[in-house]
Amino acid sequence: MKNPIAERIADFLRNHPPFMSLGLEELIIISNHSQVVYLEKNQVLFKFDDQPHSYFYVVRDGAVGLSITADEKELLIDECDEGDIIGIRPFFAKDNYLMNAVAREESLLYAIPIAFFEKYVFANVAVSKFLLESFASNTRNPYNDEDKGKLATENIRYHNDENVFQYFKPIKHTENPITATKNATVKEIAEVMVKYKIGSIIIEKNQLPIGIITDKDLRYKIATGIFSIDDTADCIMSKPVITVGANNSVAEVQLQMMQLGIGHLCVTSDGTPQSKIIGIISEHDVFTSQANNPGVLLKQTKRAKNAEELKSIRKNLTHLIQNALNENIPIAHISKIVAEINTVITKRAIDLAITKMDQKPPADFAWINIGSQGRKEQLLMTDQDNALLFADVSPDNYDGVKNYFLQLAFYVTEMLSTVGYELCPAEMMASNTLWCKSVTEWKRQYDSWINNPGIEGILMCSIFFDYDFVYGTKELVDDITITILKNIENNQVFFAYLGADALKNLPPLGFFKNFIIEKDGEHKDNFDVKGRGLMPLIDAARLLCLSNKITGANNTILRYKELSALEPQNAAIYDACAEAFSILQKFRTKEGFASNSGGRYLDLSKLSKLDKLKLKNAFNPINDVQEIIRTRFQLTYFT
């Protein structure tokens, strides 16, 4: 007898991926095993850290919000509506849900049993690919052009490449695995596993795999009394051994383990059982291969208990950056991820520092990053630049409040130093009394910089216009922004000085289009990519955004995009500047990793002809944007 409910479910599913890749008869069978779930508005489907359900869900009608809790606030990450899939995590990960799923209106969902649907996943390449890409990017529908590239992790959306490259890169395997022969006793094998603290051992003959024994075999075959510990390995080993080659991706390995219901794969020289054993891959290897996943790093950061744990996270972040560069992920996307994790590391350091203090903060305060951190462009482990603002207090309480925040800032900067962010040699840090001030003092400071902009003052203050709110009371920072905008109104003198500073570094090519290199000193004959390439673009973007009163865009690339939208007549120049900045930043980042330095100086002799051409082409927009500055601020004679 026909089931009209199942037919309605199948008729709906056939119009949405990945179900459209299945035949109608298959969909009818799946629908017969599915359930209809009704959710009232605000009803919870599952919560963060809940154990995985035995079903995954497809939204039929209504809307279900996906959210996380951060800083005691509920943050909506995504909203799933008709045809969107929710809760596929149990297919791929054996841990709990990472988000809350709550109905935002009355909703109908189709609940499809995971155990039953698995066979269709493994039998249909299109279905498995869809679900893998959805899981790898945390995207509800990776084939939806409207949402293409939206990646929901802990508290931010990223372009899907940032996470997918982690998931589809080659997995690292354990080399030189411990092996035994089939005549070894179970007791001997167990003793070896205990000695080397391993969960499996490959049984070999002439260096070829013939079986494998795991903890599971010992539990189910020995502990239950089915076999004796004096029996030989060939009695309890699992066979045949499933083998793979050395270059399989994380996704391929995880899918194969799921399909076969196993937790270990033997790596052989050509991927077959007829070749030499060279390694082993366990479920633990799959997990650790994803340890540099941005969402995982964010989660670990929020749970870190000390500076050493934060240091380990920052080390993993460095690996993530290197992998991203190797995979040619756009530098702008890498910067977004790194900036978010750097910010969360700083937030956690402040939380830990407050815990270390004898009392809670005596007044509202705000921590800001300045310079490259404020612009969210710190990819390398360079020094830290930050400042602290605290709310105005009575004169009687001022000294005590300021001393508290200086001590707090000292703990934070020292902790960040342990993590790997070196202390600023110029002491432009919140632990310096000069950069730990009340809001009124900061207003006076900016008033002085803007209205008395002697060239020395400009050199000092320019990075303080690249600030990013990190922690505390944002309204304090907003108050400073209002003060800045008020003071720069029609302030021709200020813009003249800032313009002159922006023009101090001309395009770094000589008359014959040769690179202008350092003439002497430690870096003689090297090219200063930061000072001669990046800084002119940074300075120009800062100046032009200030003059246009563009707020909330401190990142250089984002600044040029804002300028491009605001001034269509100059859009081509600003877009070229953004692209040039990306190219130069990538050169610097690669050099920093290669030489374990700040990446500022390039040895041109080591660059290929093509790289030199890319570098030269990146300098062309500098001349164009500087010409805009000369004309706009009438600096022909000033400079």
Side-chain angles (χ1 to χ4, degrees):
M1 181 180 294
K2 289 185 177 181
N3 183 340
I5 295 178
E7 289 183 352
R8 283 200 297 270
I9 294 175
D11 192 54
F12 174 82
L13 294 178
R14 68 191 299 186
N15 295 312
H16 300 280
F19 308 102
M20 59 176 55
S21 301
L22 299 172
L24 182 58
E25 289 186 7
E26 292 174 307
L27 290 175
I28 292 289
I29 295 171
I30 293 168
S31 299
N32 271 306
H33 287 79
S34 301
Q35 297 181 11
V36 179
V37 176
Y38 169 75
L39 297 178
E40 295 182 353
K41 184 177 180 179
N42 297 324
Q43 185 174 342
V44 175
L45 180 63
F46 54 77
K47 295 186 296 185
F48 169 79
D49 212 31
D50 278 356
Q51 290 188 343
H53 295 184
S54 56
Y55 295 87
F56 71 99
Y57 304 91
V58 183
V59 180
R60 174 63 179 86
D61 293 302
V64 177
L66 299 179
S67 64
I68 56 97
T69 302
D71 299 327
E72 299 182 354
K73 294 181 180 179
E74 194 75 8
L75 298 179
L76 181 67
I77 297 298
D78 204 355
E79 185 173 293
C80 301
D81 49 26
E82 183 179 312
D84 288 332
I85 292 177
I86 305 171
I88 65 168
R89 187 168 189 79
F91 271 112
F92 303 100
K94 296 184 178 180
D95 53 357
N96 297 343
Y97 291 116
L98 293 181
M99 296 185 188
N100 309 311
V102 181
R104 293 176 63 79
E105 56 187 73
E106 285 187 301
S107 302
L108 277 179
L109 280 64
Y110 294 146
I112 300 175
I114 291 172
F116 182 79
F117 191 70
E118 276 184 343
K119 62 182 179 182
Y120 296 99
V121 176
F122 303 138
N124 190 301
V125 174
V127 174
S128 60
K129 182 181 178 183
F130 176 92
L131 293 179
L132 274 171
E133 291 186 13
S134 294
F135 177 76
S137 63
N138 285 345
T139 305
R140 52 191 168 143
N141 183 351
Y143 302 156
N144 185 345
D145 290 336
E146 186 176 327
D147 294 297
K148 191 175 180 65
K150 291 184 178 179
L151 171 66
T153 58
E154 287 283 301
N155 62 353
I156 192 169
R157 288 177 177 179
Y158 298 120
H159 186 280
N160 64 354
D161 283 348
E162 279 90 31
N163 221 5
V164 172
F165 81 82
Q166 284 292 126
Y167 199 63
F168 289 96
K169 69 176 184 178
I171 191 170
K172 292 182 179 179
H173 61 267
T174 302
E175 298 180 350
N176 302 314
I178 304 298
T179 62
T181 65
K182 66 177 184 178
N183 295 322
T185 66
V186 172
K187 180 181 179 182
E188 291 170 339
I189 287 172
E191 288 172 345
V192 170
M193 292 170 68
V194 170
K195 178 181 178 181
Y196 291 100
K197 298 179 181 179
I198 55 177
S200 63
I201 192 166
I202 297 173
I203 309 303
E204 56 87 18
K205 182 178 181 181
N206 299 324
Q207 297 185 310
L208 303 181
I210 60 171
I212 186 171
I213 294 176
T214 68
D215 286 334
K216 184 178 179 181
D217 293 311
L218 297 180
R219 289 195 306 272
Y220 286 92
K221 298 176 183 178
I222 302 300
T224 56
I226 297 176
F227 293 95
S228 164
I229 60 172
D230 294 319
D231 285 331
T232 53
D234 58 337
C235 295
I236 70 164
M237 68 182 187
S238 299
K239 58 181 181 181
V241 184
I242 307 303
T243 58
V244 293
N247 294 317
N248 286 59
S249 69
V250 178
E252 290 170 321
V253 167
Q254 191 168 28
L255 183 59
Q256 195 163 7
M257 287 181 172
M258 289 166 48
Q259 288 175 325
L260 300 173
I262 58 177
H264 298 80
L265 294 171
C266 179
V267 183
T268 61
S269 56
D270 69 2
T272 71
Q274 288 75 45
S275 59
K276 182 180 176 181
I277 300 166
I278 60 173
I280 191 168
I281 299 172
S282 66
E283 286 181 303
H284 176 73
D285 294 322
V286 173
F287 174 78
T288 55
S289 70
Q290 298 179 71
N292 295 338
N293 176 296
V296 173
L297 294 181
L298 284 168
K299 187 175 181 180
Q300 290 174 341
T301 301
K302 292 174 182 178
R303 295 178 176 178
K305 297 177 181 177
N306 52 52
E308 287 301 323
E309 289 185 15
L310 291 175
K311 181 179 180 179
S312 175
I313 292 164
R314 187 54 181 83
K315 184 178 179 181
N316 286 335
L317 178 57
T318 298
H319 296 321
L320 183 150
I321 299 169
Q322 290 177 306
N323 289 334
L325 288 172
N326 292 337
E327 295 291 330
N328 288 318
I329 303 299
I331 201 77
H333 298 323
I334 301 172
S335 295
K336 289 178 185 177
I337 295 178
V338 176
E340 178 64 19
I341 297 175
N342 278 337
T343 297
V344 176
I345 287 174
T346 302
K347 285 182 177 180
R348 188 57 185 157
I350 297 170
D351 280 331
L352 294 172
I354 291 174
T355 302
K356 190 174 181 179
M357 299 289 287
D358 293 332
Q359 65 179 96
K360 292 184 178 180
D364 288 343
F365 76 100
W367 185 283
I368 59 174
N369 284 336
I370 57 177
S372 63
Q373 289 174 300
R375 296 189 304 272
K376 297 187 175 183
E377 294 166 358
Q378 189 186 43
L379 295 177
L380 299 169
M381 294 287 278
T382 52
D383 59 295
Q384 51 181 295
D385 296 305
N386 43 60
L388 189 147
L389 304 72
F390 57 87
D392 292 327
V393 295
S394 67
D396 291 342
N397 293 328
Y398 176 84
D399 287 342
V401 170
K402 179 157 184 172
N403 287 335
Y404 174 93
F405 285 118
L406 282 171
Q407 183 64 51
L408 174 68
F410 172 78
Y411 287 149
V412 175
T413 53
E414 287 295 317
M415 196 177 305
L416 292 175
S417 176
T418 300
V419 172
Y421 307 98
E422 296 179 2
L423 298 173
C424 176
E427 295 190 65
M428 287 189 175
M429 298 179 294
S431 54
N432 183 339
T433 185
L434 291 174
W435 315 125
C436 178
K437 303 174 184 282
S438 68
V439 170
T440 295
E441 289 176 311
W442 274 110
K443 288 181 179 179
R444 292 191 192 121
Q445 180 67 78
Y446 276 99
D447 179 82
S448 175
W449 279 332
I450 294 169
N451 294 306
N452 300 288
I455 193 66
E456 293 300 321
I458 286 293
L459 292 174
M460 167 65 77
C461 79
S462 60
I463 70 167
F464 282 90
F465 289 94
D466 298 338
Y467 57 85
D468 179 54
F469 168 72
V470 173
Y471 188 102
T473 305
K474 187 175 183 296
E475 287 74 15
L476 299 178
V477 181
D478 293 339
D479 205 7
I480 297 298
T481 302
I482 292 170
T483 297
I484 292 172
L485 294 177
K486 181 180 178 181
N487 274 281
I488 65 175
E489 183 76 36
N490 298 319
N491 195 325
Q492 295 179 355
V493 175
F494 170 72
F495 285 118
Y497 272 100
L498 203 62
D501 186 54
L503 297 178
K504 67 182 182 293
N505 289 315
L506 299 176
L509 294 175
F511 184 77
F512 295 104
K513 298 294 183 182
N514 295 321
F515 289 98
I516 297 176
I517 58 177
E518 302 307 295
K519 299 295 184 183
D520 49 35
E522 179 185 355
H523 302 288
K524 185 176 182 294
D525 296 331
N526 286 348
F527 176 73
D528 183 356
V529 69
K530 176 186 175 183
R532 298 185 183 276
L534 289 166
M535 289 311 301
L537 292 167
I538 292 168
D539 292 340
R542 180 194 301 117
L543 168 61
L544 292 167
C545 281
L546 280 171
S547 68
N548 280 292
K549 294 187 175 180
I550 295 173
T551 60
N554 290 344
N555 177 270
T556 301
I557 292 175
L558 183 57
R559 280 173 166 168
Y560 280 118
K561 288 183 178 179
E562 292 284 339
L563 289 166
S564 181
L566 191 64
E567 301 177 20
Q569 71 277 18
N570 294 317
I573 293 174
Y574 295 143
D575 291 343
C577 286
E579 179 63 22
F581 183 85
S582 296
I583 292 169
L584 295 173
Q585 191 181 32
K586 189 169 185 178
F587 270 106
R588 182 187 180 186
T589 305
K590 284 190 170 183
E591 172 60 27
F593 283 126
S595 60
N596 193 28
S597 68
R600 177 166 185 162
Y601 296 96
L602 304 181
D603 183 347
L604 297 176
S605 66
K606 295 181 179 179
L607 297 183
S608 67
K609 185 177 180 180
L610 179 59
D611 280 342
K612 289 179 182 178
L613 182 60
K614 286 181 182 178
L615 204 54
K616 286 183 179 181
N617 289 339
F619 302 142
N620 293 329
I622 296 176
N623 184 66
D624 295 333
V625 76
Q626 288 186 343
E627 189 57 38
I628 290 175
I629 291 171
R630 284 191 191 90
T631 303
R632 183 166 302 179
F633 301 104
Q634 301 177 1
L635 298 176
T636 305
Y637 299 105
F638 190 94
T639 56

